[in-house]
Amino acid sequence: METLAGYVEHIIYQKQENGYTVFVLVSEEKDITCVGNCKGLAAGENIEITGEYVEHPIYGQQLKITSYKVVAPKDSVSVERYLSSGAVKGIGATLAKRIVKRFGDDAFRIMEEEPERLAEIKGISERMAREIAAQMEERKDLRDALVYLQQFGISNALAIRIFDTYGTNLYGILKENPYKLAEDIEGIGFKIADEIASVIGIHADSDYRIRSGILYTLLQAVGEGHCYLPVEQVLKRAEQILQVEAVHIEPQLANMVLDKKLVIKEGKVYAYTYYYAELSCARMLFDLNMPMRESEERVESVVKAITKEIHIELDELQQKAVMEAIQNGVFILSGGPGTGKTTTINTIIRYFEREGYDIYLAAPTGRAAKRMTEATGFESRTIHRMLELNGALSDENKRSVRFERNMENPLEADVVIIDEMSMVDLPLFQALLKAITPGTRLIMVGDVNQLPSVGPGQILRDIISSGAYPTVVLQKIFRQAGESDIVVNAHHINRGEPIQLNNKSKDFFFLERSDVHVIYKHMIQLIRDKLPKYVNATPYDIQVLTPMRKGNLGIEVLNGILQKYLNPPDVGKREHISGETIYREGDKVMQIRNNYQLEWEVVSRYGIPVDKGMGVFNGDMGRILEIRENASELVVEYDEGRRVAYPFSLLEELELAYAITIHKSQGSEYPAVVLPLLTGPKLLFNRNLLYTGVTRAKNCVTILGSSDTVYDMIANESENRRYTSLDLRIRELEGMEDTL
């Protein structure tokens, strides 16, 4: 680490939202380009910085800042330089000279402590002196806050967010209850708040600490997909996190119920938000579930005409599904690959279209929506776009994420059909139901045997298990689908039956390999040379799916190897290094968390914007089109031609996607899939995961690795159990508890 002192000669680039700044520092030793989060930094200011030198591939040596503080100018030369820079609005070079001439080395102190004296100078009125004083006070408050927070090891970026949230009240909050930061400020979790508390001297068994630790325990559980935890698990987990005995933790549960932070019901502990999210979803489903009076004879007649017109035949279950969808307010259609879900949905859509109904189709991801459009011929959108996501700045200059379609402004639809329901988590489902009015049909389609959503909940499974709503699970594999070993093997896997790995198939291959380096070699040959011709696709379209992030066959290692061979360095490709990742033009990348504020636009071939919106979501995959070093950003193009400019400060939200986890592949379909399966933890290497990976392939699956591992996964029924209770809330409302 290097520590330098000097003044900011000029700002090259500064992003207002997060304070990411590129500037030139003039020190006694040399001039150096510096980069880092320095919100409010202005040209001319005197600063002390700590950081490390990095070598930028284009701009050469830079100092990457880890911390900085602004220090008051010590002499008249420094004061004049600072004021002449324009750092204080209303003061230019001429006034700066007059101020320094009048007050000399004492000028900066006068401006901070006796600003009314500025009115003694020609050209500065009393009103202007007050405005300058306000600016100086604001900058001084921020400087003082940054210095104060640095003692707790808080980065400047987080310190700025704390100051923006609390202003000068932050000192009282930190001394009384630093755990409040974890509740109020995104990016500050329990651990950071706990570190601050330990420095301040708050006791380990403090009520504030225990309550915050309980909320943190439940927040971690939500990250694992749970909506609640059993009481004994909350106590056990919180005990480990807090290093405090359960006897001190348990009394706080009751207190937090009184404070409406928790709900405890039948031995289940919920964060307040998630209990009422499940309850409100159950209530809204109950309101939607009204019988639709349609003449059965007439429906059968119309359906018969439709199937004749589009030259299809429905089996008994498909016919039942069409009838149930038409006759009920809520309907669920499930089934594995090749069982005719698309044919059934197409028939349902054509019935409602013939009746003149307004039909909305949607899916959780852009890829899933695109597949739905291709399969039905009707426009499908992401659920977020259908609900008109708005992530605009509010009047308080804070990000306010909301859906424009809600209870006050519902969807103007008679029928809403959602595909890939297994991917829909509890918060998104709640937002969806809020936008649907009773009298509108809600049809949910999905494969309950797929992995559950990344977010909390297991909506599709819970609704089906509640037994409260008409549900049809298609089972027959149709002839054309039955010719695909992908489909046949998927059903064998789902039933726990062994599959043939003899390579006599046209679309399902297995290569027994035990050396990871040999697996790397074959993987590259398959993606680059063999599979593109076999499935009539590009290497970009072929996807490596793996169970793990870590290890020799985890995505972190595989992406580095695959990037090297599938998108090698080239003089015509610009690069940018962020952390340990090299981003290169042409790279395949994925967004790894929801960002409701990122703006996207679709441009015509002449570069003219034709559509725009907000929001890029966890699992969205795209390609790096351009890296713009001068603007400190790179441009990614996602499905539907949506282009997003990422500031370099947001690159932590992007990762290479030549290989992705099977979990992240949900809702997607690829021409060919390569699955490296050698060894791994039993809890992860299970039937559910293998089934999901195999069913992501449209034309070809190739497994590289151990046949023993494949057979062990098929035999392994263990899944990570999710603690969810939407089914219980539904039964309560439906009055079904005593009948099940």
Side-chain angles (χ1 to χ4, degrees), residues 69 163 292 315 375 421 472 489 585 680 707 713:
K69 63 180 180 180
F163 182 80
M292 304 293 180
D315 70 8
M421 268 299 300
V472 172
N489 285 339
E585 289 177 340
S707 55
M713 290 179 78

Side-chain angles (χ1 to χ4, degrees), residues 158 198 236 359 574 584-585 679:
L158 274 182
S198 66
K236 184 179 178 181
I359 311 162
R574 284 166 287 198
R584 185 175 295 134
E585 289 177 340
T679 58

Side-chain angles (χ1 to χ4, degrees), residues 174-179 197-204 206 208-209:
L174 284 174
K175 286 176 182 174
E176 182 186 355
N177 178 19
Y179 297 98
S198 66
V199 174
I200 290 173
I202 289 176
H203 293 298
S206 152
Y208 287 133
R209 182 172 186 267

